[in-house]
Amino acid sequence: MARSNDRDRKRAPKEGIRKGKKKVDIVARDGIDWVDYKDVNLLRKFMSDRGKIRARRVSGLSTQNQRAVAHAIKLARELALLPYATRTVTERAPRPPRQARPEQQPDAAEVELDLPDEDDAVEEART
């Protein structure tokens, strides 16, 4: 049985689908020759709100500039200029208030302590 060569056939382009706008390489546009690890404001543009480095297809950088930015971000993280990750707080529904638990400790009247009497202590001191 011979397989059909569906893989070899070219697919017809789908109509009505538009490609998105081409991203602009910010580093090349601004004429930055060297991505400085100390330029935290520039580096934050290429990080997500959770601290991850954005992908090249998202940031629109060229391959060389993406490598330079990633290297600068990693170096800035190492020197504690940028966080590795930021803590995010998810909003949850408020918890219902806890019900007061009944006291488990017995009353003072119920507790009997076996303490030595003062008279016994005085007699032991004499001997």
Side-chain angles (χ1 to χ4, degrees):
M1 295 171 93
R3 288 187 179 180
S4 64
N5 289 333
D6 288 336
R7 289 183 225 143
D8 295 338
R9 289 188 210 164
K10 290 186 178 182
R11 292 185 184 177
K14 295 181 181 177
E15 294 183 26
I17 296 179
R18 291 188 299 170
K19 286 191 175 183
K21 184 178 174 185
K22 175 114 170 98
K23 306 259 184 190
V24 179
D25 188 350
I26 298 171
V27 175
R29 181 192 68 195
D30 293 344
I32 299 171
D33 296 330
W34 180 66
V35 180
D36 191 9
Y37 66 91
K38 294 174 277 188
D39 191 359
V40 177
N41 292 329
L42 176 69
L43 297 179
R44 283 189 191 269
K45 292 179 183 177
F46 303 108
M47 294 176 66
S48 69
D49 57 339
R50 293 183 171 233
K52 291 177 152 187
I53 300 172
R54 292 195 191 272
R56 190 175 151 254
R57 64 181 173 79
V58 176
S59 64
L61 295 174
S62 67
T63 306
Q64 290 177 337
N65 288 337
Q66 177 70 22
R67 274 197 207 115
V69 165
H71 182 72
I73 288 173
K74 290 174 185 177
L75 186 56
R77 284 176 177 167
E78 191 73 23
L79 296 173
L81 298 175
L82 288 173
Y84 279 96
T86 56
R87 182 175 291 190
T88 57
V89 179
T90 57
E91 291 192 24
R92 297 183 182 172
R95 287 180 138 180
R98 288 187 170 189
Q99 296 178 355
R101 291 186 285 168
E103 294 283 330
Q104 296 295 329
Q105 297 179 359
D107 293 335
E110 296 176 5
V111 177
E112 293 183 24
L113 299 177
D114 189 31
L115 297 175
D117 294 335
E118 291 179 13
D119 297 332
D120 294 338
V122 172
E123 286 179 340
E124 287 181 26
R126 289 183 186 168
T127 54

